Amino acid sequence: MGKITQLLSHPSELRAVVQLMYFRQPLHQTSKQSESLQRCYYLLNQTSRSFAAVIKELHPEIKDVVTLFYLVLRALDTIEDDMTIDPSIKVPLLREFVDKLNEKAWTFNGNGPDEKDRIVLVEFDQILTEYHKLKPEYQDIIKDITKKMGNGMADYILDDNFNLNGVETIADFDLYCHYVAGLVGEGLTKLMVLAKFSDNSLAEDGFKRSNSMGLFLQKTNIIRDYHEDLEDGRSFWPKEVWSKYTDSLPSFHKDTSPESEFQGLSCLNELVLNSLGHVKEVLEYLSLVKDPSSFNFCAIPQVMAIATLATVYNNPKVFHSVVKIRKGTTCDLILRSRTLPGVISIFREYIQVINHKSNVKDPNYLKIGIKCGEIEQFIELMYPSIAYPKGVTKAQHPITKIVAARAKIDNDIQRIINDETFSTYALFGGILLVLVGALTITFG
Ligand code: D61
Ligand code: MG
């Protein structure tokens, strides 16, 4: 189906696209930017389809910091991802990358010509110029995370003899995802706490919930990108899981027999089940982010991830292409994820989608049902639609305080959303009137 036809067959998504494109009220204005900072925003737009949009809407206090945090780590990841750089060069480069942050004008031109984000390394001097203008506290947070991530990535580079670690066990899988994504969550949490945009308690759990924020995003990508990664000659699916279903991971792509497809789906679904283990901590984390622009920034990637997870779940297309969610769905999700109740209702919806797609024959059928039930119960506790558990009054429940603290923010945002929706419907009404008028004049 064409994109336009798709959109016309989902009217609520059409409304969302129009509302987002023409009526959304930005929370903050942009101020004057130096030339190198403009170049950094150009690099951000070039290298991230999804994160650029949410980062650019952040509060002025942290917008540039988060942009530079992103670009520094994108540069590091572009070294990690490049399969044309020999491990003997790549590993030391990853470990020493943090030292480049002390330089004034370091650049790197050693990526393969087709490496998609090579430009951030070619123009790394622009990033350094702006990085050194940041408050020292912000620089230190970025530096600390860069150092940990570079060393963590280096630990997982396979050399030609495969005698380094690789993603063998589920524990390896969690540790790898911690290095490349959980640490981003940790850094962002430190930045937001420093800027007083989120509850201090977010930094007081050993960064367990912020780690889950990153793991939920990264694992979703890894599951979705099975085919693309395989074509690039790598894989991040943990062997401990796939070895239960096949003795060679590429077989899910190569062998198209129903038996092999069933094994592939069982494996895929077990990984989805594993990812769902992070959902409760994700929702808890989101409930503690106070600043509205930071809330959007944190929530939007997470609702995209749960939508993606529901789409890939039990879906054999994953073995042959990259499965994506519709553009209209994306706009609808962005608009609905500006308040905590909105986010919760999206999660509830997709958890139900997953539950309904379950196959009784799947070896993890029961576990998946239990996990979905657990999440629904947790959501029910945060936003009860009927009553609290026996013997617990609303006032006594710890979650009540968190929800109450959010109520004002959510109310304020909801008013803005109502305005925008009104304008969108007014536009549609206007178009309809003009059409009817034109028809009356022509035929009437
Ligand atoms: C709140 C808001 C955003 C969050 C968060 C909490 C917690 C974690 C993350 C974002 C990071 C999630 C990463 C998920 C996407 N995965 C990748 O981009 C992979 O590379 C990982 C290493 C580089 C991380 C760069 C990054 C990403 C998002 C950021 C950020 C830094 C800084 C600030 C805000 C968001 C993936 O890359 C795919 C690609 O190269 O296109 C890979 O190589 O596996
Ligand atoms: Mg990478």
Side-chain angles (χ1 to χ4, degrees), residues 73-74 76-82 153 176 180 218 234 236:
L73 298 183
R74 181 52 67 216
L76 182 65
D77 183 52
T78 301
I79 297 170
E80 189 214 19
D81 287 355
D82 192 333
M153 284 172 163
Y176 176 75
V180 302
Q218 185 67 18
R234 67 183 138 217
F236 300 97

mmCIF file of all heavy atoms in Angstrom, residues 73-74 76-82 153 176 180 218 234 236, ligand 2:
data_model
loop_
_atom_site.group_PDB
_atom_site.id
_atom_site.type_symbol
_atom_site.label_atom_id
_atom_site.label_comp_id
_atom_site.label_asym_id
_atom_site.label_seq_id
_atom_site.Cartn_x
_atom_site.Cartn_y
_atom_site.Cartn_z
ATOM 1 N N LEU A 73 29.069 10.480 21.433
ATOM 2 C CA LEU A 73 28.829 9.033 21.467
ATOM 3 C C LEU A 73 28.532 8.464 20.078
ATOM 4 O O LEU A 73 28.882 7.327 19.780
ATOM 5 C CB LEU A 73 27.690 8.703 22.432
ATOM 6 C CG LEU A 73 27.960 9.099 23.882
ATOM 7 C CD1 LEU A 73 26.804 8.676 24.777
ATOM 8 C CD2 LEU A 73 29.268 8.494 24.394
ATOM 9 N N ARG A 74 27.899 9.267 19.220
ATOM 10 C CA ARG A 74 27.660 8.808 17.843
ATOM 11 C C ARG A 74 28.994 8.605 17.138
ATOM 12 O O ARG A 74 29.175 7.644 16.387
ATOM 13 C CB ARG A 74 26.763 9.812 17.091
ATOM 14 C CG ARG A 74 26.424 9.445 15.648
ATOM 15 C CD ARG A 74 25.843 8.029 15.511
ATOM 16 N NE ARG A 74 24.535 7.905 16.122
ATOM 17 C CZ ARG A 74 24.107 6.803 16.758
ATOM 18 N NH1 ARG A 74 24.863 5.728 16.835
ATOM 19 N NH2 ARG A 74 22.927 6.769 17.315
ATOM 20 N N LEU A 76 31.873 7.857 18.588
ATOM 21 C CA LEU A 76 32.444 6.624 19.154
ATOM 22 C C LEU A 76 31.781 5.393 18.522
ATOM 23 O O LEU A 76 32.458 4.444 18.108
ATOM 24 C CB LEU A 76 32.213 6.641 20.673
ATOM 25 C CG LEU A 76 32.756 5.474 21.495
ATOM 26 C CD1 LEU A 76 34.281 5.440 21.436
ATOM 27 C CD2 LEU A 76 32.301 5.589 22.955
ATOM 28 N N ASP A 77 30.478 5.421 18.399
ATOM 29 C CA ASP A 77 29.728 4.289 17.838
ATOM 30 C C ASP A 77 30.057 4.079 16.360
ATOM 31 O O ASP A 77 29.985 2.963 15.852
ATOM 32 C CB ASP A 77 28.224 4.541 18.012
ATOM 33 C CG ASP A 77 27.379 3.364 17.522
ATOM 34 O OD1 ASP A 77 27.660 2.227 17.956
ATOM 35 O OD2 ASP A 77 26.477 3.583 16.703
ATOM 36 N N THR A 78 30.439 5.157 15.669
ATOM 37 C CA THR A 78 30.772 5.047 14.249
ATOM 38 C C THR A 78 32.110 4.336 14.064
ATOM 39 O O THR A 78 32.346 3.689 13.051
ATOM 40 C CB THR A 78 30.762 6.445 13.604
ATOM 41 O OG1 THR A 78 29.452 6.995 13.780
ATOM 42 C CG2 THR A 78 31.066 6.399 12.113
ATOM 43 N N ILE A 79 32.970 4.426 15.081
ATOM 44 C CA ILE A 79 34.188 3.618 15.059
ATOM 45 C C ILE A 79 33.820 2.160 15.342
ATOM 46 O O ILE A 79 34.238 1.249 14.639
ATOM 47 C CB ILE A 79 35.209 4.134 16.099
ATOM 48 C CG1 ILE A 79 35.628 5.566 15.743
ATOM 49 C CG2 ILE A 79 36.418 3.204 16.167
ATOM 50 C CD1 ILE A 79 36.444 6.262 16.816
ATOM 51 N N GLU A 80 32.978 1.955 16.355
ATOM 52 C CA GLU A 80 32.586 0.582 16.714
ATOM 53 C C GLU A 80 31.906 -0.138 15.545
ATOM 54 O O GLU A 80 32.193 -1.288 15.242
ATOM 55 C CB GLU A 80 31.619 0.568 17.918
ATOM 56 C CG GLU A 80 31.369 -0.853 18.436
ATOM 57 C CD GLU A 80 29.969 -1.109 18.983
ATOM 58 O OE1 GLU A 80 29.032 -0.350 18.683
ATOM 59 O OE2 GLU A 80 29.810 -2.094 19.717
ATOM 60 N N ASP A 81 30.989 0.567 14.888
ATOM 61 C CA ASP A 81 30.172 -0.068 13.846
ATOM 62 C C ASP A 81 30.928 -0.387 12.557
ATOM 63 O O ASP A 81 30.477 -1.214 11.775
ATOM 64 C CB ASP A 81 28.988 0.847 13.481
ATOM 65 C CG ASP A 81 27.928 0.874 14.572
ATOM 66 O OD1 ASP A 81 28.066 0.117 15.540
ATOM 67 O OD2 ASP A 81 26.965 1.655 14.440
ATOM 68 N N ASP A 82 32.048 0.294 12.311
ATOM 69 C CA ASP A 82 32.710 0.182 11.009
ATOM 70 C C ASP A 82 33.453 -1.151 10.872
ATOM 71 O O ASP A 82 34.501 -1.360 11.474
ATOM 72 C CB ASP A 82 33.685 1.359 10.830
ATOM 73 C CG ASP A 82 34.175 1.467 9.394
ATOM 74 O OD1 ASP A 82 34.204 0.433 8.686
ATOM 75 O OD2 ASP A 82 34.528 2.588 8.983
ATOM 76 N N MET A 153 32.748 -1.139 24.758
ATOM 77 C CA MET A 153 32.639 -1.551 23.351
ATOM 78 C C MET A 153 33.852 -2.387 22.951
ATOM 79 O O MET A 153 33.720 -3.407 22.274
ATOM 80 C CB MET A 153 32.555 -0.329 22.432
ATOM 81 C CG MET A 153 31.201 0.363 22.416
ATOM 82 S SD MET A 153 31.328 1.900 21.474
ATOM 83 C CE MET A 153 29.588 2.240 21.168
ATOM 84 N N TYR A 176 26.531 -5.857 27.296
ATOM 85 C CA TYR A 176 26.787 -5.122 26.052
ATOM 86 C C TYR A 176 25.801 -3.955 25.906
ATOM 87 O O TYR A 176 26.187 -2.827 25.618
ATOM 88 C CB TYR A 176 26.696 -6.047 24.818
ATOM 89 C CG TYR A 176 26.855 -5.259 23.535
ATOM 90 C CD1 TYR A 176 28.110 -4.783 23.138
ATOM 91 C CD2 TYR A 176 25.740 -4.910 22.758
ATOM 92 C CE1 TYR A 176 28.265 -4.004 21.991
ATOM 93 C CE2 TYR A 176 25.879 -4.127 21.607
ATOM 94 C CZ TYR A 176 27.142 -3.683 21.235
ATOM 95 O OH TYR A 176 27.275 -2.893 20.122
ATOM 96 N N VAL A 180 26.473 0.246 25.586
ATOM 97 C CA VAL A 180 26.136 1.117 24.448
ATOM 98 C C VAL A 180 24.874 1.944 24.667
ATOM 99 O O VAL A 180 24.657 2.927 23.968
ATOM 100 C CB VAL A 180 26.031 0.332 23.109
ATOM 101 C CG1 VAL A 180 27.338 -0.385 22.809
ATOM 102 C CG2 VAL A 180 24.866 -0.640 23.113
ATOM 103 N N GLN A 218 17.707 -0.371 23.225
ATOM 104 C CA GLN A 218 18.747 -1.084 22.482
ATOM 105 C C GLN A 218 18.308 -2.502 22.128
ATOM 106 O O GLN A 218 18.503 -2.966 21.012
ATOM 107 C CB GLN A 218 20.061 -1.096 23.281
ATOM 108 C CG GLN A 218 21.244 -1.703 22.557
ATOM 109 C CD GLN A 218 21.694 -0.884 21.350
ATOM 110 O OE1 GLN A 218 21.359 0.284 21.209
ATOM 111 N NE2 GLN A 218 22.447 -1.505 20.466
ATOM 112 N N ARG A 234 27.352 -9.397 11.278
ATOM 113 C CA ARG A 234 27.431 -9.458 12.747
ATOM 114 C C ARG A 234 26.066 -9.794 13.318
ATOM 115 O O ARG A 234 25.056 -9.807 12.601
ATOM 116 C CB ARG A 234 27.903 -8.127 13.320
ATOM 117 C CG ARG A 234 26.872 -7.032 13.096
ATOM 118 C CD ARG A 234 27.343 -5.696 13.593
ATOM 119 N NE ARG A 234 26.964 -4.705 12.601
ATOM 120 C CZ ARG A 234 27.689 -3.658 12.262
ATOM 121 N NH1 ARG A 234 28.832 -3.443 12.847
ATOM 122 N NH2 ARG A 234 27.271 -2.821 11.350
ATOM 123 N N PHE A 236 23.843 -9.559 17.344
ATOM 124 C CA PHE A 236 23.857 -9.295 18.786
ATOM 125 C C PHE A 236 22.841 -10.157 19.509
ATOM 126 O O PHE A 236 22.639 -9.992 20.704
ATOM 127 C CB PHE A 236 23.598 -7.799 19.037
ATOM 128 C CG PHE A 236 24.627 -6.906 18.394
ATOM 129 C CD1 PHE A 236 24.392 -6.313 17.162
ATOM 130 C CD2 PHE A 236 25.855 -6.692 19.012
ATOM 131 C CE1 PHE A 236 25.347 -5.497 16.561
ATOM 132 C CE2 PHE A 236 26.817 -5.886 18.417
ATOM 133 C CZ PHE A 236 26.567 -5.283 17.186
HETATM 134 MG MG MG B 2 27.206 0.308 17.526
#
